[in-house]
Amino acid sequence: MPAPPLVSILMPVRNEARYLQAALSSLFRQTLPQWELIAIDDGSTDATPEILAEAASADPRVRVLRLPGNGLVTALNAGLEVCRATLVARMDGDDICHPQRLARQIAFLDAHPDVGLVACGFRHFPRSTLKQGMIGYETWQNGLADHDLIMRDRFVESPFVHPSVMIRRSLLVQAGGYRASGWAEDYDLWLRLAEMGTRFARLHLPLFFWRDHPERATRTLDDYSVSAFRSCKAHYLLRSYLSGSDSVIIAGAGLEGRAWQRLLEMHGVRTSCWLDVDPRKVGRTLHGAPVVSPHDMPRTNGLRMIVAIGVRGAREQFRALGATLGLREGLDFVCVA
């Protein structure tokens, strides 16, 4: 009887024939052989079923589930139910793993039993088509080098590329698996895990290669839109940092800050004042609240502050300014953009 796998690779696919063989090949090249692949074909109409069937017939580590097209969350949960290993690694059918990815992530989790989830460094490809925003996201995420930095920035953006993570299966089950909430299922999971007190980690080596193409889910599905991400952040902020608050200070009176004002107003949280450095805005009243310079900020008296400045580089500038004003991140303010 074959030994049980050390890790189950959870890979939902739908019409991935163009890239699937490259993704599978990167798994077959792994230096760690004790894995199983749970491939969930969610109603593909191209050659995906044939590619998976051929892989399964050639390698007993490949197990294929067929679903009629019920959506990503259903596919992920169906695959999770049949994962046999104590560790679960995510993978998508259009990406590529470094040959040492699984071995290194397993070794890290074995050496750090207090860590529930470990991601790895990643690189977008092909590089020639990347725009500045994606390069900036790659640099930002790879810079979240430890648990404290990941937790600090968890409301800025999704701190992990979903198919780059490895997680303890028991923790994933304890969190309730994946949920369809109207926003990205992976970001929702990270924030739930954070609420549970999960410790996160990241391997610095680029062990995962995230293919950029127009059909990628993050580019096509409404759940991955900017507004959906903002709603997800607000949902979990209202359960944690903003719990019990009926008013908030918003740093940033631009488009992003105003979008947050409207969203929080819908949840009964009004804006007490705005902070902004633009002299054209300071002194005005916006949606019934004054716009003031950070240096003239009134005493917060326990009021919460969110930093919603969408301009590139402004987040670090505010952190530096906040330090000079004696503001403590996580207590006096939280960055959401």
Side-chain angles (χ1 to χ4, degrees), residues 40-92:
I40 309 97
D41 178 14
D42 191 34
S44 293
T45 56
D46 63 0
T48 293
E50 289 75 21
I51 295 172
L52 290 177
E54 182 178 351
S57 65
D59 192 323
R61 295 177 298 179
V62 179
R63 302 166 63 197
V64 181
L65 302 181
R66 297 280 169 75
L67 297 179
N70 296 328
L72 178 58
V73 169
T74 298
L76 285 166
N77 286 328
L80 178 62
E81 285 187 10
V82 299
C83 288
R84 295 181 295 163
T86 59
L87 300 176
V88 174
R90 272 284 287 112
M91 177 69 176
D92 281 339

Side-chain angles (χ1 to χ4, degrees), residues 13 25 45 50 55 61 71 74 103 115 132 141 143 172 182 226 318 324:
V13 292
S25 295
T45 56
E50 289 75 21
R61 295 177 298 179
T74 298
V115 172
Q132 190 58 45
Q141 192 186 113
L172 186 49
V226 172
F318 184 89
T324 67

Side-chain angles (χ1 to χ4, degrees), residues 49 57 64 72 80 98 183 195 216 292:
S57 65
V64 181
L72 178 58
L80 178 62
H98 185 284
W183 47 66
E195 280 189 341
R216 197 168 76 183
V292 302

Side-chain angles (χ1 to χ4, degrees), residues 135-202:
I135 294 173
Y137 176 65
E138 177 185 297
T139 301
W140 167 77
Q141 192 186 113
N142 285 336
L144 302 181
D146 57 35
H147 174 79
D148 290 340
L149 290 176
I150 291 166
M151 288 294 290
R152 182 197 70 177
D153 272 13
R154 70 190 184 279
F155 290 114
V156 172
E157 241 285 12
S158 177
F160 306 119
V161 172
H162 193 187
S164 76
V165 306
M166 185 178 290
I167 184 172
R168 300 187 192 278
R169 186 182 187 280
S170 59
L171 189 61
L172 186 49
V173 171
Q174 181 185 350
Y178 293 93
R179 296 179 182 174
S181 303
W183 47 66
E185 83 295 332
D186 54 347
Y187 193 30
D188 180 79
L189 176 62
W190 313 148
L191 295 180
R192 274 187 284 134
L193 290 172
E195 280 189 341
M196 292 167 52
T198 303
R199 286 201 63 82
F200 302 117
R202 171 173 277 105

Side-chain angles (χ1 to χ4, degrees), residues 43-318:
S44 293
T45 56
D46 63 0
T48 293
E50 289 75 21
I51 295 172
L52 290 177
E54 182 178 351
S57 65
D59 192 323
R61 295 177 298 179
V62 179
R63 302 166 63 197
V64 181
L65 302 181
R66 297 280 169 75
L67 297 179
N70 296 328
L72 178 58
V73 169
T74 298
L76 285 166
N77 286 328
L80 178 62
E81 285 187 10
V82 299
C83 288
R84 295 181 295 163
T86 59
L87 300 176
V88 174
R90 272 284 287 112
M91 177 69 176
D92 281 339
D94 52 357
D95 300 321
I96 293 176
C97 290
H98 185 284
Q100 295 184 23
R101 177 203 165 181
L102 297 180
R104 287 180 176 269
Q105 287 183 303
I106 288 175
F108 183 91
L109 289 173
D110 284 347
H112 300 85
D114 60 317
V115 172
L117 179 154
V118 61
C120 60
F122 81 96
R123 281 178 64 82
H124 283 103
F125 77 101
R127 306 295 289 185
S128 60
T129 61
L130 290 183
K131 296 183 178 179
Q132 190 58 45
M134 297 305 288
I135 294 173
Y137 176 65
E138 177 185 297
T139 301
W140 167 77
Q141 192 186 113
N142 285 336
L144 302 181
D146 57 35
H147 174 79
D148 290 340
L149 290 176
I150 291 166
M151 288 294 290
R152 182 197 70 177
D153 272 13
R154 70 190 184 279
F155 290 114
V156 172
E157 241 285 12
S158 177
F160 306 119
V161 172
H162 193 187
S164 76
V165 306
M166 185 178 290
I167 184 172
R168 300 187 192 278
R169 186 182 187 280
S170 59
L171 189 61
L172 186 49
V173 171
Q174 181 185 350
Y178 293 93
R179 296 179 182 174
S181 303
W183 47 66
E185 83 295 332
D186 54 347
Y187 193 30
D188 180 79
L189 176 62
W190 313 148
L191 295 180
R192 274 187 284 134
L193 290 172
E195 280 189 341
M196 292 167 52
T198 303
R199 286 201 63 82
F200 302 117
R202 171 173 277 105
L203 303 181
H204 304 312
L205 292 173
L207 301 175
F208 183 77
F209 303 92
W210 199 25
R211 189 187 299 271
D212 185 51
H213 59 90
E215 297 81 22
R216 197 168 76 183
T218 53
R219 295 188 178 279
T220 59
L221 299 181
D222 290 341
D223 287 0
Y224 296 89
S225 67
V226 172
S227 61
F229 265 77
R230 196 180 291 121
S231 294
C232 183
K233 297 174 190 181
H235 175 79
Y236 286 98
L237 278 166
L238 290 165
R239 289 161 49 130
S240 55
Y241 179 72
L242 294 179
S243 177
S245 298
D246 59 7
S247 61
V248 66
I249 298 171
I250 299 181
L255 293 176
E256 184 65 20
R258 282 176 276 174
W260 272 96
Q261 182 272 330
R262 292 190 296 270
L263 179 59
L264 292 176
E265 185 84 17
M266 292 171 54
H267 292 278
V269 180
R270 65 178 181 83
T271 302
S272 63
C273 78
W274 306 81
L275 301 187
D276 208 287
V277 298
D278 188 343
R280 295 170 298 179
K281 298 177 182 176
V282 172
R284 296 175 54 195
T285 297
L286 183 62
H287 296 291
V291 182
V292 302
S293 165
H295 294 286
D296 298 323
M297 180 180 65
R299 290 187 177 274
T300 59
N301 294 324
L303 277 179
R304 300 299 194 176
M305 182 194 310
I306 62 170
V307 180
I309 310 173
V311 179
R312 187 176 302 280
R315 185 169 59 251
E316 295 309 320
Q317 292 175 12
F318 184 89

